[in-house]
Amino acid sequence: MLMNDPNWKPRPIVVVALLFFALVCSLGGVWGGPALGDHEALVAECARQMRITGDWVVPQFLETPFIRKSPLPYWLIAASSYLFSNDSVTGLPVTAAAARFPSALCAFGSIVLLWYLASRMFGARVGVVTGLVASSSVAFLLYGPNATAEMPLTFGCVWAYTHFWFAATTKSKWNAFLHSMAFYVALGFAMLAKGPAPVALVGFPLAVWWYVHRPLRILARSGLGAWKKIAVSFLRGLLPRTVSVFTRFWIFPGLLIFALTFVPWMMAVAERQPHAWELWNWQYVQRAKGDYPDTRNRTIVYYIPIVGGLILPWTFLVLEAAIAPWVQRYARMHKPLLFAGLWTLLGTLSMSLMEFKKPYYVLAAVPGVILLVGVAAERVFFFVRRMDTSAESWLLRVGVIVQILALFGAGWMWIADAESTELFKPIMA
């Protein structure tokens, strides 16, 4: 059994040091660094046009309506530009730092939320370790200072998962209501960041977890031999868990709040741009089907080395993290571990089933891995003397090999993919 001390609390100096470390890792790349990449420049230019024209409804690129993408990244950058001086050469608003600042803030917010969520799920010490893992991971170091939609989307997803967990586990009906409403707001925020992606990255994994986490915990405890008990648990839970969707999660008023976060913008744009609905169908539905320019033949396992690369330098713990929801030494934590595991597994699977793939599409599923790795890292670093079985020793040894393979595999895939090297083009030139 995991020997995490429930009475352990971090010293103030530890909290301050971790906050400072997270700030440096997420915001440190805002000033300096390479010039804006192609995609970053497009987002920044749309935000600049909002500032110049005063039209914050219909984004424009080079004075042409650009409504293919959701508007939140443009709004955040345009608002951020009020905090920064205009470009010293052109005198225009929206500098590179202003463009990257909102994404970096979203990275910092995601790290703090993961720290808090892990503390409440697994204990304060695991929370601190999770904050350290998240701050130092390639996912946040690379995409924090990146003026695109990826980190706002990731923040929205982490925010939504956090509120869903508390809505699902609190004993107070009032707190469940408040967290449920906040969940729908967060999900709407993520929709404004990147279209329908949160439905696959958040809605699908959470729906599965809500219905199957009890049967899966029986499976973890008793094995496949208890299949009858597993089946009975699932069937008996169908009706009460469905009722809870309406009584605990307030799905009807919640969906209304969710829709009110992004539908008004869509209606306003469609009124001024009649072709908007056809364009969004092509941009999102046809893209998912692969009927889209630049669709490449990428297999269903395409994202596996990408995820491994995004959690570097902690990939050596991925095997320990992967088995955590299923082994006895983590038995007290199986419920939250399954929550994090399905976040990762089904979020990644959702992106993998889409025909159109890009490396960063899976970014919002990575925080689930980070939660799992935080638990594994706390055990390894604080209870390493207890890990004296050959099985545990081999997990770490194989994990180191996995880390090396992830480093080379993900590195090769990023370099081979032109879209994923935008940040590095000025460096490699």
Side-chain angles (χ1 to χ4, degrees):
M1 179 175 290
L2 194 66
M3 301 298 293
N4 186 28
D5 183 0
N7 298 317
W8 185 89
K9 293 183 179 180
R11 296 178 180 179
I13 186 63
V14 173
V15 174
V16 172
L18 182 53
L19 281 173
F20 178 76
F21 182 68
L23 276 170
V24 170
C25 290
S26 53
L27 293 170
V30 169
W31 293 270
L36 294 177
D38 295 347
H39 197 176
E40 289 183 291
L42 188 152
V43 176
E45 178 60 25
C46 288
R48 175 179 285 175
Q49 288 294 313
M50 285 183 172
R51 282 289 315 274
I52 293 173
T53 65
D55 183 359
W56 289 49
V57 176
V58 177
Q60 296 183 45
F61 181 70
L62 301 178
E63 301 182 354
T64 301
F66 190 81
I67 60 173
R68 290 166 49 188
K69 305 289 186 179
S70 300
L72 183 62
Y74 315 137
W75 290 345
L76 293 176
I77 293 172
S80 163
S81 68
Y82 287 102
L83 303 175
F84 294 80
S85 301
N86 289 356
D87 188 276
S88 59
V89 177
T90 64
L92 297 174
V94 182
T95 60
R100 286 172 171 160
F101 185 66
S103 183
L105 277 182
C106 287
F108 178 71
S110 299
I111 292 168
V112 172
L113 282 176
L114 287 170
W115 177 3
Y116 178 67
L117 183 59
S119 297
R120 297 294 297 272
M121 283 178 161
F122 309 115
R125 185 159 55 202
V126 175
V128 169
V129 174
T130 300
L132 176 64
V133 170
S135 300
S136 56
S137 68
V138 166
F140 288 100
L141 290 172
L142 180 62
Y143 287 102
N146 189 321
T148 61
E150 309 314 318
M151 199 50 69
L153 169 65
T154 299
F155 172 75
C157 292
V158 174
W159 184 18
Y161 272 101
T162 300
H163 282 297
F164 188 91
W165 172 257
F166 291 119
T169 57
T170 183
K171 296 180 180 179
S172 166
K173 292 183 178 180
W174 176 244
N175 286 340
F177 172 77
L178 292 178
H179 281 297
S180 294
M181 296 302 102
F183 163 75
Y184 294 110
V185 171
L187 199 62
F189 179 95
M191 285 286 290
L192 278 174
K194 198 163 185 179
V199 175
L201 289 164
V202 178
F204 174 47
L206 287 180
V208 172
W209 177 84
W210 181 243
Y211 281 100
V212 306
H213 73 83
R214 285 186 178 177
L216 288 180
R217 287 156 63 193
I218 297 173
L219 174 63
R221 183 172 61 249
S222 305
L224 289 173
W227 66 269
K228 290 184 180 179
K229 189 176 181 181
I230 294 169
V232 169
S233 174
F234 175 72
L235 293 174
R236 284 183 177 176
L238 279 176
L239 180 59
R241 294 207 160 266
T242 301
V243 171
S244 294
V245 171
F246 298 90
T247 58
R248 175 175 285 268
F249 298 114
W250 299 85
I251 190 168
F252 285 144
L255 288 177
L256 177 61
I257 291 174
F258 171 62
L260 286 175
T261 59
F262 63 92
V263 171
W265 173 78
M266 297 179 70
M267 299 297 292
V269 171
E271 184 177 355
R272 293 169 54 179
Q273 304 290 327
H275 65 287
W277 297 109
E278 290 80 5
L279 182 61
W280 290 327
N281 174 71
W282 174 74
Q283 176 70 19
Y284 297 116
V285 178
Q286 300 308 316
R287 174 184 288 226
K289 294 179 179 179
D291 186 14
Y292 193 85
D294 197 34
T295 298
R296 305 181 187 183
N297 184 20
R298 288 165 173 161
T299 67
I300 197 170
V301 300
Y302 171 76
Y303 286 119
I304 292 178
I306 297 293
V307 172
L310 287 172
I311 61 173
L312 284 168
W314 305 97
T315 317
F316 70 97
L317 292 169
V318 72
L319 294 181
E320 175 75 18
I323 69 166
W326 309 104
V327 295
Q328 187 61 31
R329 60 178 175 269
Y330 294 101
R332 291 189 297 110
M333 299 179 173
H334 280 171
K335 182 177 180 178
L337 286 170
L338 286 167
F339 183 87
L342 291 175
W343 177 351
T344 300
L345 177 64
L346 299 183
T348 303
L349 179 63
S350 298
M351 296 296 102
S352 299
L353 292 175
M354 296 183 182
E355 292 296 326
F356 190 87
K357 300 180 179 71
K358 287 189 177 181
Y360 44 81
Y361 282 5
V362 77
L363 183 66
V366 171
V369 187
I370 289 175
L371 287 172
L372 294 174
V373 168
V375 174
E378 190 265 352
R379 175 178 171 81
V380 168
F381 294 134
F382 286 92
F383 302 102
V384 67
R385 293 181 181 178
R386 301 177 185 272
M387 299 184 66
D388 53 2
T389 68
S390 59
E392 291 173 325
S393 176
W394 273 106
L395 277 175
L396 289 179
R397 294 177 185 177
V398 175
V400 172
I401 298 174
V402 170
Q403 173 145 328
I404 294 172
L405 293 175
L407 178 63
F408 284 99
W412 176 82
M413 294 183 78
W414 278 331
I415 292 173
D417 195 307
E419 292 87 350
S420 63
T421 59
E422 290 178 354
L423 276 178
F424 305 107
K425 286 178 181 178
I427 299 174
M428 297 186 296

